[in-house]
Amino acid sequence: MAYELVIFDNDGVLVDSEPLSNRVLAGYLTELGYPTTIEDSYRDFMGTAAHRVHDVIAERHDGALLPEGFDDAFHGRVFDAFTAELAPVRGAGTLLAELRRRSVPYCLASSAHHSWIRAALDVTGLRGDFPEERIFSAQDVGVGKPAPDLFLHAAAVLGVDPADCLVVEDSPNGVLAARAAGMDVYGYTALTDPAKLTAAGATGLIAGLDEVPALLG
């Protein structure tokens, strides 16, 4: 079908941040006495909002609270890693240019904080591809994926029916959110088990961003 809006997740779809952010998070939690591997971090936190880290630690460690300032300290560590290592996902810039050439509207909808999103776009050189009014964060709606609120908010602001949206996601929670919003969603399999994306309800799977143009009808 011909979609009226393409909605991209950011981390892991447009910017190759998941290995960096999950490495930093696993290391920081381990320092604080909550042993966490990068595989644990991928499983428990990939594609979720920041409050999920606090929730999981409390659930698994008898109501333990992370230290005051944890979020700011974590974000600072991640920004340092971004500055040194972050790169765009292969083909991201080319795809966004192709969408503009075709006059296909697109936006970004991420569970991350606005500051995190912008830092990632700045470092990777993608900031110019996203006008401010096309960057959406879970901060805008108060809840992250797998709730559908973020995707529904993006579609409403841009005046597009959810049924006419195509979402590109790399996490099961993102797929669940898109499906709950009534949108088609293709799972990007670079870092995620394809079976998990399919089980979450993905409309289809892609192995690279160069496959997206063929989905647009």
Side-chain angles (χ1 to χ4, degrees), residues 143-156:
V143 62
K145 307 163 190 177
D149 304 47
L150 176 57
F151 288 135
L152 292 173
H153 172 66

Side-chain angles (χ1 to χ4, degrees), residues 14-59:
L14 295 174
V15 301
D16 197 18
S17 55
E18 293 291 3
L20 299 180
S21 58
N22 282 282
R23 184 189 73 203
V24 171
L25 179 56
Y28 191 17
L29 290 176
T30 299
E31 283 180 29
L32 294 172
Y34 308 109
T36 304
T37 66
I38 190 170
E39 291 78 15
D40 294 334
S41 187
Y42 279 133
R43 182 193 66 230
D44 295 332
F45 307 123
M46 184 172 164
T48 64
H51 66 79
R52 174 67 177 160
V53 180
H54 296 264
D55 295 342
V56 168
I57 294 301
E59 290 166 5

Side-chain angles (χ1 to χ4, degrees), residues 5-170:
L5 178 66
V6 180
I7 304 177
F8 292 100
D9 179 40
N10 190 44
D11 293 299
V13 173
L14 295 174
V15 301
D16 197 18
S17 55
E18 293 291 3
L20 299 180
S21 58
N22 282 282
R23 184 189 73 203
V24 171
L25 179 56
Y28 191 17
L29 290 176
T30 299
E31 283 180 29
L32 294 172
Y34 308 109
T36 304
T37 66
I38 190 170
E39 291 78 15
D40 294 334
S41 187
Y42 279 133
R43 182 193 66 230
D44 295 332
F45 307 123
M46 184 172 164
T48 64
H51 66 79
R52 174 67 177 160
V53 180
H54 296 264
D55 295 342
V56 168
I57 294 301
E59 290 166 5
R60 295 180 182 170
H61 298 276
D62 298 320
L65 297 177
L66 292 169
E68 185 176 352
F70 170 84
D71 289 346
D72 288 340
F74 170 51
H75 289 162
R77 293 184 181 206
V78 171
F79 290 161
D80 288 343
F82 279 6
T83 300
E85 304 177 56
L86 188 62
V89 168
R90 182 184 296 274
T94 300
L95 171 58
L96 297 175
E98 174 65 11
L99 295 181
R100 291 193 298 274
R101 187 187 70 80
R102 295 190 184 194
S103 298
V104 177
Y106 63 84
C107 69
L108 182 162
S110 169
S111 284
H113 288 184
H114 275 293
S115 59
W116 180 307
I117 296 167
R118 283 160 177 74
L121 294 178
D122 284 340
V123 171
T124 57
L126 297 177
R127 182 69 173 274
D129 293 296
F130 287 94
E132 287 295 312
E133 65 273 14
R134 291 182 178 268
I135 299 175
F136 299 96
S137 161
Q139 285 181 294
D140 301 331
V141 294
V143 62
K145 307 163 190 177
D149 304 47
L150 176 57
F151 288 135
L152 292 173
H153 172 66
V157 168
L158 297 175
V160 179
D161 190 295
D164 295 323
C165 296
L166 169 66
V167 178
V168 182
E169 266 286 355
D170 70 329

